[in-house]
Amino acid sequence: MKKHTKKLISLVLTFVMVFAMTATVFAAPADTTITVGEGDNRTYDVYQIFTGDLSGDVLSNVKWGKNGTGTLGEAVPQTTLDAVVAANSITAEDDKAAAIAEYVDLESEKFGTVSAGEPLTAPTGYYLFKDVTVPAPGQAYSLYVVKIVGPTTFAPKTGEVESFKKVDDKNDSNTTEDTVAWQDSADYDMGDMVPFQLTGTLPEDYDNYDAYYYAFHDTECEGLTFDAASVKVFVDGNEITEGFEVVTEGIKESETFEVRFANLKDIAQVNKNSVITVEYFSELNSGAVIGAAGNPNEMYLEYSNNPNSEWAPSWGEDNEDNDNDGQTDEEDEKEGPTGETPVDKVIVFTYKVVVNKVHQTGVDEEGNPVYEALEGAGFTLFKKDAATGEYVAVGEELKGDAMTTFSWERIDDGDYRLEETTTPAGYNTIAPIEFTVSATHELESAAPQLLTLEGGNMFTGDVEALTLTADVVNQAGTTLPETGGVGTTMIYVAGAVLVLGAGVVLVTKKRAA
């Protein structure tokens, strides 16, 4: 048989099965109505194992149904009924499943289908219900349900899986941010190691799986560089070092890495209430985007979603029938025995500071200063380190003979100091300028946005370009009066006049004599 024929470990016996043989001539069983519960939008294939007359919890005059392993319409031997009833007392779920699986053929044509708004009329009897609705993200197929059927309404037996991605925000200039606060957005400097967290839950019906595949899929943008060595895995807050692998090769081209658990059942600490957490770091690199789009990081969780299947992934490349179900690994893969949670995204922002060097060249008609670009300056930007209280240079001095605009890219929020470390000839050096870059962004959002970006009164923030811009004015030096220059000239002139005057007097006296 196929694996799903043999695999009925997830049976739910909602009625005690009691069968009675009372006659060798049978009347036709009465018809009854099967419906699904309110709010259940699933569709179920219905397989008829036995038919019979129902009185309370007792099914009598039992005959083989359409999907039973006996001949349709013939009486079911008492030995068979005794064996099925005996399954109720079997403690091991695998053995109970095997006992009942012998009497239903899931490869045969189904008896019918039941779904919301479309009840099924069927003779009273013993039926199996198989969920055939493709689960929504985060959901799984329902358990097989085996019931004695009179007028019947039932609900799916399943669970839901959730996953979340978060990022921690740090500010180098603020020691109060040392406390970890996982959220959906953050801002960082180039070269910073950005901490991320992935979280996954397990379904209520986790115990009904023999094997449980679980894999975190993570996709980073070009502005983030994943550090595989930084990965840590926790079960309910306690770190584990076995039972998983970090995979960066042979995965989807669009993805950065996976953290795979081939079978969570191999990790003793895991139960249906467990929370699985992955933490790691990625470096904000020189390719990080400066702009409203930010640097997104996405994840989703892949998980086993069919408790009626014995499928577990094969890590070999032979593509053989490793689980002995009559199908190759590739065919198993196409069956879709795993589901996926919705994609969750966080964003890392980074900013740019721009300084325009200018000097005043005059005033306009209204008396306002007129400025023009000024060449020949050089600037160094410093950022305050909260750990030491000192200002540390953000890169080297920016300068150039013809440079009038200076920019520092991929910086974080924090406290800064701008110093003019080269001053244009003929101009006064400006006093150091201290300013604070501050930003607010959505902390809990499916698509976090930057809300504000400020740099004090001096800078103008642009939340689309993620840029802070300011004009820095240099004042020209003052030409001061010099002593000795003009006074000496006047002495020379006066002396010349006296000499000329003396000459005139001397000539006049000689003529008079």
Side-chain angles (χ1 to χ4, degrees):
M1 290 185 178
K2 291 282 189 176
K3 63 187 174 190
H4 51 272
T5 310
K6 296 183 292 182
K7 172 69 172 172
L8 294 177
I9 192 164
S10 53
L11 310 168
V12 178
L13 304 177
T14 52
F15 292 97
V16 175
M17 295 179 294
V18 179
F19 300 100
M21 294 289 291
T22 59
T24 56
V25 179
F26 303 97
D31 283 343
T32 189
T33 301
I34 304 170
T35 58
V36 298
E38 184 178 354
D40 182 3
N41 295 318
R42 296 171 183 254
T43 297
Y44 301 87
D45 284 347
V46 181
Y47 293 84
Q48 185 187 72
I49 305 173
F50 305 139
T51 62
D53 299 327
L54 183 62
S55 176
D57 293 337
V58 176
L59 192 66
S60 58
N61 302 323
V62 183
K63 297 181 291 185
W64 286 106
K66 178 178 179 179
N67 307 109
T69 54
T71 301
L72 176 63
E74 288 190 359
V76 178
Q78 188 63 42
T79 53
T80 298
L81 298 177
D82 292 342
V84 175
V85 171
N88 262 340
S89 61
I90 298 175
T91 302
E93 290 292 332
D94 281 337
D95 294 339
K96 181 184 294 186
I100 299 173
E102 295 181 13
Y103 308 108
V104 58
D105 181 7
L106 293 179
E107 298 301 314
S108 61
E109 182 182 359
K110 63 191 176 189
F111 176 82
T113 299
V114 61
S115 59
E118 296 185 5
L120 176 67
T121 299
T124 54
Y126 190 46
Y127 291 80
L128 181 142
F129 301 86
K130 178 183 177 183
D131 181 7
V132 294
T133 305
V134 176
Q139 296 184 348
Y141 287 98
S142 171
L143 310 173
Y144 289 153
V145 177
V146 179
K147 302 183 71 169
I148 291 180
V149 167
T152 300
T153 299
F154 64 94
K157 306 297 181 181
T158 185
E160 187 170 359
V161 175
E162 295 182 302
S163 66
F164 312 95
K165 182 167 186 68
K166 299 295 180 182
V167 61
D168 184 28
D169 198 8
K170 296 292 185 185
N171 182 336
D172 299 335
S173 301
N174 188 349
T175 56
T176 62
E177 289 193 2
D178 288 343
T179 301
V180 175
W182 296 111
Q183 54 198 44
D184 289 336
S185 62
D187 43 28
Y188 279 92
D189 298 298
M190 184 175 71
D192 282 346
M193 299 304 293
V194 183
F196 293 98
Q197 183 189 69
L198 315 177
T199 301
T201 65
L202 292 170
E204 281 292 320
D205 61 349
Y206 174 73
D207 292 342
N208 293 300
Y209 289 81
D210 280 336
Y212 201 84
Y213 178 63
Y214 206 70
F216 292 93
H217 295 250
D218 196 282
T219 301
E220 298 193 324
C221 63
E222 293 183 0
L224 293 165
T225 302
F226 171 58
D227 180 8
S230 69
V231 173
K232 293 184 177 181
V233 178
F234 304 85
V235 174
D236 298 327
N238 300 310
E239 185 176 2
I240 62 172
T241 57
E242 297 179 342
F244 66 91
E245 60 178 331
V246 180
V247 184
T248 57
E249 297 181 355
I251 60 178
K252 293 181 180 179
E253 186 175 349
S254 61
E255 297 179 357
T256 304
F257 70 94
E258 295 180 19
V259 177
R260 291 178 181 166
F261 301 79
N263 186 4
L264 274 180
K265 296 286 184 174
D266 292 337
I267 303 176
Q269 302 97 307
V270 176
N271 58 65
K272 67 179 182 179
N273 298 313
S274 290
V275 175
I276 314 297
T277 306
V278 174
E279 294 182 5
Y280 69 92
F281 290 89
S282 291
E283 181 182 358
L284 190 74
N285 60 44
S286 60
V289 171
I290 303 170
N295 299 275
N297 183 304
E298 300 179 343
M299 66 80 65
Y300 67 90
L301 182 62
E302 184 182 6
Y303 58 94
S304 290
N305 73 341
N306 191 345
N308 310 299
S309 170
E310 291 179 345
W311 180 89
S314 170
W315 305 118
E317 297 181 355
D318 53 5
N319 197 33
E320 295 180 355
D321 182 13
N322 288 297
D323 54 5
N324 300 312
D325 69 341
Q327 300 184 108
T328 65
D329 297 335
E330 182 178 1
E331 290 170 331
D332 283 343
E333 190 74 29
K334 291 178 180 177
E335 277 191 7
T338 60
E340 298 176 359
T341 58
V343 171
D344 196 19
K345 177 171 68 174
V346 299
I347 293 181
V348 178
F349 298 108
T350 190
Y351 313 122
K352 179 179 180 179
V353 168
V354 177
V355 169
N356 298 312
K357 189 63 176 175
V358 298
H359 67 132
Q360 184 177 349
T361 58
V363 295
D364 60 18
E365 295 178 353
E366 298 178 356
N368 299 313
V370 175
Y371 297 102
E372 292 184 0
L374 177 63
E375 298 178 352
F379 288 96
T380 302
L381 185 66
F382 298 83
K383 185 177 184 181
K384 186 177 181 179
D385 182 351
T388 64
E390 301 293 328
Y391 281 87
V392 181
V394 180
E396 299 178 352
E397 179 191 32
L398 297 181
K399 69 177 181 178
D401 292 340
M403 186 179 292
T404 62
T405 297
F406 305 81
S407 62
W408 294 265
E409 298 184 341
R410 301 174 181 86
I411 68 168
D412 189 7
D413 57 355
D415 298 330
Y416 292 86
R417 185 173 69 210
L418 179 68
E419 293 186 9
E420 186 176 47
T421 44
T422 298
T423 305
Y427 288 83
N428 298 321
T429 303
I430 67 169
I433 300 171
E434 293 189 357
F435 62 99
T436 298
V437 175
S438 59
T440 60
H441 31 86
E442 295 175 314
L443 304 183
E444 299 292 334
S445 172
Q449 301 292 316
L450 188 78
L451 302 176
T452 65
L453 179 61
E454 299 176 347
N457 296 329
M458 180 176 176
F459 287 85
T460 300
D462 185 335
V463 294
E464 289 298 321
L466 269 61
T467 300
L468 291 159
T469 305
D471 291 338
V472 174
V473 182
N474 265 91
Q475 301 294 337
T478 304
T479 303
L480 300 175
E482 297 179 2
T483 60
V486 175
T488 301
T489 300
M490 295 302 296
I491 291 173
Y492 290 156
V493 172
V497 171
L498 290 175
V499 170
L500 290 173
V504 171
V505 171
L506 180 60
V507 171
T508 302
K509 287 183 176 181
K510 285 183 177 182
R511 287 181 179 179

